Amino acid sequence: MFHIAVLPGDGIGPEITREAVKVLKAVGEKRQLELGFSHHLIGGASIDAQGVALSDDLVDTCRRSDAILFGAVGGPKWDHLDLPDRADYALIRLRQELSAYANLRQFRLYAGLEDASAVKNDIVETGIDFIILRELSSGAYYGRPKFREDTPRGRRAVDTIEYYDYQVERLARHGFELARQRRARLTSMSKWNALESSRLWRDVVEEVAQEYPDVDTRHEIVDAGAMNLIQRPAEYDVIIMPNMFGDILGDEAAVLAGSIGMVPSAEISLDGPSLYEPIHGSANDIEDRNVANPIGTILSAALLLRYSLGCPDGAGDIERAVGKVIAEGYRTADIWTSGDQQRVSTTEMGDLVVEML
Ligand code: NAD
């Protein structure tokens, strides 16, 4: 029996996780997987009920689970609070408690969604199916020293980009293993022409690459990579990046996928359960209207099956079912582009995916 901790959170979080759980239950039946679910409050919902955004009990429950399915946290009601009381801080702290060291985002443009993508049809039609694996534990956001000071020359601010070889190595190894399960191509993006930390990054990736001669390894300077990613997205399979570059390019790449509501992600833990969530936030502007796109969360559930429960077949079932629903012309509002497509609600989209399964 696998135990999945479900944390719906705020805004559209409860609506979209409900659909993903529905789909997971259907796959569980089809693939004879025993799945147990427990639902817990987090973020603003938890502040309202028990005064804290993330309770210690919930951290324990998450640690004891096999995987975590997360919706989104935050909203205008709580965004004015100061850290660490803010609703969205719950996710930041939970990532730290679980020792998340990598963030994985899977970008795929499903056939039929070309018009929803912000990029020209002749580019996206070449096929978009890649993963960005971002280092999450170090880099520019955590390096020390980090401070501001007043000096005779004016106000000064310092951030530090820091990497140890072992941090790069474990991320690179993860990237190569992913590439082996996919199309065996790995692109490492960094800024080795200007940054010492990127020169170490490149050296370590090159060392690990020796163990994966079957994987086609490339190095790109991140600024050129940012352009290529939009101009020639079909060239990429697995892309690995330091923390800050992955943060930026991970959002850039979302425009390729048709909607922010289509992109699944995983926060991979060093020694505990991983957390799966759509990349968007709690979308309070469309909360409780049954119009949110649940596919990013449903596809996050597919990643959960593939990477945490060892069930790639179940993950493939979900991804194919989503592909069929899109191919047959069903669209939530965010990906609806023309009158010959059928506009469906959040719950109808979840039902359709279950039907296709
Ligand atoms: P957002 O991602 O919630 O929404 C941005 C825009 O995309 C909105 O117009 C929204 O309606 C739309 N959108 C997002 N997801 C959608 C979906 N599944 N279907 C259809 N449309 C969708 O970002 P925001 O508006 O800047 O933030 C809202 C709240 O979410 C804030 O409180 C923020 O702190 C929080 N937030 C949480 C997370 C998280 O929990 N991981 C991430 C980002 C933002």
Side-chain angles (χ1 to χ4, degrees):
M1 160 82 100
F2 292 111
H3 173 227
I4 300 169
V6 183
L7 316 182
D10 307 317
I12 61 170
E15 299 167 65
I16 53 177
T17 43
R18 195 175 302 131
E19 300 315 307
V21 169
K22 204 152 87 181
V23 171
L24 274 173
K25 285 183 176 164
V27 175
E29 271 177 35
K30 184 177 170 181
R31 294 280 170 192
Q32 272 126 38
L33 282 174
E34 268 194 80
L35 303 178
F37 299 90
S38 65
H39 287 70
H40 310 274
L41 298 176
I42 189 167
S46 176
I47 293 176
D48 288 354
Q50 48 199 15
V52 287
L54 175 67
S55 68
D56 293 339
D57 279 353
L58 182 52
V59 173
D60 281 347
T61 304
C62 288
R63 283 213 180 103
R64 279 186 272 110
S65 69
D66 293 295
I68 300 152
L69 182 69
F70 185 91
V73 284
K77 188 173 171 197
W78 311 281
D79 282 353
H80 67 280
L81 297 172
D82 289 328
L83 289 176
D85 299 325
R86 246 174 37 208
D88 55 344
Y89 186 67
L91 180 58
I92 298 169
R93 211 193 111 208
L94 185 56
R95 285 173 181 153
Q96 286 167 353
E97 294 282 355
L98 297 170
S99 311
Y101 80 101
N103 172 270
L104 180 159
R105 287 183 172 194
Q106 179 170 285
F107 300 93
R108 180 179 289 172
L109 187 75
Y110 283 88
L113 282 189
E114 293 80 0
D115 285 340
S117 172
V119 176
K120 281 185 194 159
N121 274 10
D122 58 337
I123 292 178
V124 292
E125 275 163 12
T126 57
I128 292 169
D129 184 4
F130 61 86
I131 281 176
I132 291 183
L133 191 68
R134 161 188 169 197
E135 204 290 326
L136 210 56
S137 68
S138 190
Y141 299 156
Y142 299 108
R144 292 285 184 272
K146 189 182 195 74
F147 61 87
R148 273 201 195 203
E149 64 180 359
D150 289 323
T151 76
R153 288 167 58 193
R155 286 172 296 165
R156 174 171 180 254
V158 172
D159 288 296
T160 304
I161 304 180
E162 178 183 61
Y163 270 111
Y164 282 92
D165 53 1
Y166 71 90
Q167 293 169 325
V168 184
E169 185 186 331
R170 68 188 177 199
L171 195 273
R173 210 171 281 289
H174 198 118
F176 280 107
E177 292 294 332
L178 281 174
R180 257 192 186 160
Q181 295 163 32
R182 293 171 49 95
R183 301 194 305 279
R185 173 173 291 184
L186 181 130
T187 308
S188 168
M189 290 195 193
S190 64
K191 185 82 187 164
W192 72 83
N193 54 340
L195 300 175
E196 201 53 52
S197 58
S198 281
R199 281 192 276 278
L200 175 71
W201 180 278
R202 191 186 142 138
D203 289 349
V204 175
V205 172
E206 211 31 59
E207 286 156 25
V208 179
Q210 305 308 313
E211 296 170 38
Y212 296 87
D214 50 318
V215 176
D216 171 14
T217 307
R218 297 161 186 221
H219 298 272
E220 273 185 26
I221 295 181
V222 65
D223 39 347
M227 238 173 15
N228 276 341
L229 199 57
I230 298 296
Q231 288 175 332
R232 287 188 288 279
E235 284 184 6
Y236 296 97
D237 179 17
V238 175
I239 311 173
I240 59 172
M241 278 185 244
N243 200 342
M244 185 168 68
F245 300 148
D247 190 12
I248 299 167
L249 268 65
D251 273 15
E252 183 205 22
V255 304
L256 292 163
S259 164
I260 192 175
M262 292 292 299
V263 184
S265 79
E267 319 260 270
I268 296 152
S269 290
L270 267 180
D271 50 9
S274 295
L275 181 147
Y276 297 84
E277 58 163 341
I279 67 164
H280 57 74
S282 35
N284 311 88
D285 51 337
I286 54 169
E287 168 178 0
D288 286 334
R289 286 173 39 206
N290 202 19
V291 296
N293 186 347
I295 293 179
T297 321
I298 290 172
L299 292 174
S300 299
L303 297 183
L304 183 156
L305 285 168
R306 180 175 291 124
Y307 297 127
S308 281
L309 306 195
C311 185
D313 294 341
D317 291 340
I318 295 179
E319 289 162 352
R320 272 188 305 279
V322 167
K324 273 192 201 162
V325 172
I326 299 289
E328 293 196 2
Y330 297 103
R331 304 281 190 275
T332 44
D334 57 314
I335 49 174
W336 184 88
T337 49
S338 80
D340 54 356
Q341 299 163 353
Q342 193 169 335
R343 208 156 154 158
V344 297
S345 66
T346 310
T347 39
E348 284 166 335
M349 185 53 95
D351 290 342
L352 282 162
V353 175
V354 169
E355 236 172 75
M356 294 296 175
L357 277 167

